[in-house]
Amino acid sequence: VTRFEDRGLDLLVTIDRDGDRPLRDQLEAQLRDGIRRGALHAGTPLPSTRALAGELRISRGVVVEAYAQLVAEGFLVARPGAVTRVAQVAHHEPGEPPLQRVPPAVRFDFRVEAADLSAFPRRAWTAALRDTLREVPDAALGYGDGAGAPALRVALAAYLGRARGVAAEPESVVVSTGITQAIALLARALRRAGVTRVAVEDPSFPLHRRVFAGEGLRFVPIPVDAGGMIVAGLDGADVGAVLVTPSHQYPLGMSMAPERRAELVEWAAARDGWIFEDDYDGEYRFDRDPVGALQALAPARVVYLGSASKTLAPALRLAWMVVPPGLIDAVTAAKVLADGGSPQLDQLALSRFIEHGELDRHLRRMRGSYRRRREALTAALDEHLPQLEREGISAGLHISTRLPRDVPFGPLLSRAWDGGVGIYGFEHGGVARLLLGYANLPEPSIGPAVRALAALVAAARSMGP
Ligand SMILES: Cc1ncc(COP(=O)(O)O)c(C=O)c1O
């Protein structure tokens, strides 16, 4: 083990001089591994090639080549006259975004996971909270019902029925800390019922796969095509439940075809299987009439999942499930065991917010705003990046695009972040994709953001695949 210092920079590297493996390979592999594992954080400066070579007693050329290779792969960033640093997003494995979901500040942010944070209805929310606090009896400050505040469950059942066509009674609603927790609670309920395997769409939201795995469930990826999950793929998969995103497939953006919905419901009925319907952005549909929730087709087999993250803000951490009678006791027990119930005052504020029409008012305003941004984004892509093939339907708050094969993905991502453009994507089945979220890009900055992205794509392309 060699430890060295270079203007205060320490780095732990082990070089085996007696082995067969070339020194450059060893050095590269260790740095790559350190970045992937997250031991070397984004932005960490590396020692100069001269200092590292001197410390390791190897030739400087070996270090220069190793650094150059890692720059080409997008793990490091080098600028003339400046220290070489670990790149911003290079340690993400393809398809595995970091668990930490707060990205560094950037000039343009194509982030996907949230509503427009600058449009949060602060005044109406403050009023709902203030009125709640003024009016609730002291008893409401106790633990309350672990499944959710009764007033919110009443408000949600009515809202989901009229807005999403969900068949819901207040008793079937369970409030959770985000859909993230809902998935964990469902996993625990499944485990209690002896289920060990669940199907997910391929591709799907990585966090949910990790939550399932963290709860001890095996997930089985089932491919999707233009009609959504290929339900025939469930034959032989030996799963007790299926997690799907029928309104707007995450991440590719198609809507599940009616015949696939029917097939999935048949599968659930025939196998006593459960369908978990993640309706994370079902409120947004721009080019045709909204399609109601799958849950309405089979309320006894489908758990409907909704969240405030795309309508209000993820910071609320408020989400809800509509749970069939066959699972409600197990899910409620899992929620109570997890945390005794979500914060009651926030739930009461949300119920007031819904009942006073504030949610509908906010959504009406935001739909117009998102529609205009979506149009600005597609127009800018037509003009500056026609080579990014777009997929999916005009719904939700992001557009999935396929990156041409001659544009290397890793270097594009790290250069973009270093250049202040927050982009997100993944590689799947040999195709690299960029997910362009537009909810957090103000309309006037969409043109400049796409121009900046086009310049980055051109620069990355010149590096070759
Ligand atoms: C596929 C998918 N499901 C659900 C959510 C919402 O999760 P939560 O309610 O935990 O914020 C998101 C938000 O990013 C998502 O992308």
Side-chain angles (χ1 to χ4, degrees):
V1 174
T2 303
R3 217 176 154 75
F4 65 88
E5 289 196 12
D6 174 56
R7 282 173 288 141
L9 303 178
D10 270 22
L11 187 71
L12 198 58
V13 182
T14 315
I15 289 289
D16 174 9
R17 285 187 189 69
D18 305 324
D20 295 337
R21 195 161 181 205
L23 297 176
R24 177 187 145 176
D25 271 17
Q26 294 185 37
L27 181 56
E28 257 174 56
Q30 284 185 52
L31 291 175
R32 202 182 284 116
D33 184 53
I35 296 168
R36 280 194 175 131
R37 281 186 295 113
L40 291 171
H41 294 208
T44 300
L46 294 190
S48 69
T49 52
R50 186 188 307 279
L52 183 51
E55 253 340 290
L56 297 175
R57 284 173 288 118
I58 59 181
S59 94
R60 186 172 169 208
V62 169
V63 183
V64 169
E65 284 178 16
Y67 278 18
Q69 177 62 29
L70 293 171
V71 167
E73 291 175 18
F75 285 98
L76 300 179
V77 180
R79 290 216 185 79
V83 292
T84 299
R85 289 178 188 273
V86 176
Q88 282 289 8
V89 291
H91 67 275
H92 305 172
E93 292 292 345
E96 290 288 324
L99 276 177
Q100 171 56 272
R101 287 207 271 175
V102 181
V106 285
R107 227 167 6 122
F108 302 119
D109 193 354
F110 285 99
R111 83 163 79 173
V112 175
E113 84 276 353
D116 179 357
L117 303 182
S118 73
F120 184 77
R122 292 181 189 236
R123 190 173 304 178
W125 186 258
T126 306
L129 262 179
R130 194 188 48 228
D131 295 346
T132 298
L133 265 172
R134 197 167 42 217
E135 288 171 21
V136 292
D138 294 346
L141 301 178
Y143 285 101
D145 188 333
L152 178 59
R153 295 160 78 196
V154 168
L156 282 171
Y159 167 74
L160 295 172
R162 76 178 154 78
R164 303 293 301 126
V166 174
E169 296 301 325
E171 302 72 47
S172 60
V173 176
V174 176
V175 178
S176 63
T177 305
I179 287 180
T180 313
Q181 186 192 43
I183 302 277
L185 301 178
L186 290 168
R188 286 174 214 167
L190 289 179
R191 290 292 307 263
R192 249 174 62 158
V195 172
T196 57
R197 291 160 63 88
V198 292
V200 295
E201 294 166 313
D202 183 21
S204 60
F205 192 42
L207 181 63
H208 292 169
R209 298 196 303 266
R210 287 202 230 175
V211 173
F212 277 138
E215 297 297 332
L217 287 174
R218 286 277 299 276
F219 57 82
V220 183
I222 305 290
V224 300
D225 64 13
M229 179 183 270
I230 302 174
V231 177
L234 291 173
D235 293 344
D238 190 23
V239 295
V242 183
L243 173 62
V244 284
T245 47
S247 289
H248 188 231
Q249 203 272 337
Y250 189 91
L252 301 183
M254 65 287 247
S255 163
M256 194 173 202
E259 54 283 8
R260 292 280 172 77
R261 290 173 189 243
E263 273 178 66
L264 189 57
V265 164
E266 270 170 38
W267 168 87
R271 305 288 178 98
D272 284 341
W274 301 108
I275 300 168
F276 301 155
E277 175 179 22
D278 177 358
D279 197 37
Y280 66 105
D281 65 5
E283 283 86 355
Y284 304 111
R285 183 91 180 200
F286 301 118
D287 61 348
R288 42 194 133 156
D289 293 340
V291 173
L294 168 66
Q295 189 265 5
L297 297 180
R301 304 280 1 145
V302 179
V303 178
Y304 173 90
L305 301 159
S307 169
S309 293
K310 298 264 187 181
T311 51
L312 292 166
L316 293 173
R317 308 309 302 127
L318 276 172
W320 39 88
M321 289 178 262
V322 178
V323 187
L327 268 184
I328 187 77
D329 289 345
V331 171
T332 303
K335 173 63 181 170
V336 172
L337 284 174
D339 57 15
S342 291
Q344 295 283 332
L345 291 174
D346 293 344
Q347 294 186 60
L348 293 174
L350 180 59
S351 77
R352 184 175 273 273
F353 194 81
I354 294 172
E355 272 169 359
H356 288 210
E358 296 291 354
L359 181 61
D360 289 81
R361 200 166 300 137
H362 180 65
L363 276 173
R364 233 178 355 259
R365 192 157 57 81
M366 293 315 295
R367 281 194 190 104
S369 164
Y370 291 140
R371 177 191 296 278
R372 287 190 296 279
R373 293 182 220 200
R374 189 180 179 97
E375 283 164 6
L377 178 58
T378 51
L381 288 171
D382 283 344
E383 185 177 347
H384 302 293
L385 276 170
Q387 67 273 38
L388 285 193
E389 190 190 325
R390 280 166 251 162
E391 305 174 296
I393 55 163
S394 185
L397 300 180
H398 74 269
I399 298 179
S400 171
T401 65
R402 296 163 77 105
L403 202 60
R405 284 184 189 279
D406 59 349
V407 180
F409 185 53
L412 173 64
L413 277 191
S414 53
R415 271 167 176 256
W417 280 87
D418 289 325
V421 182
I423 58 172
Y424 308 79
F426 64 102
E427 283 176 301
H428 180 262
V431 180
R433 290 182 166 90
L434 291 183
L435 299 181
L436 301 177
Y438 47 84
N440 280 281
L441 280 174
E443 204 183 325
S445 71
I446 287 178
V450 172
R451 275 200 297 280
L453 180 59
L456 288 159
V457 167
R461 170 179 274 144
S462 70
M463 296 173 66

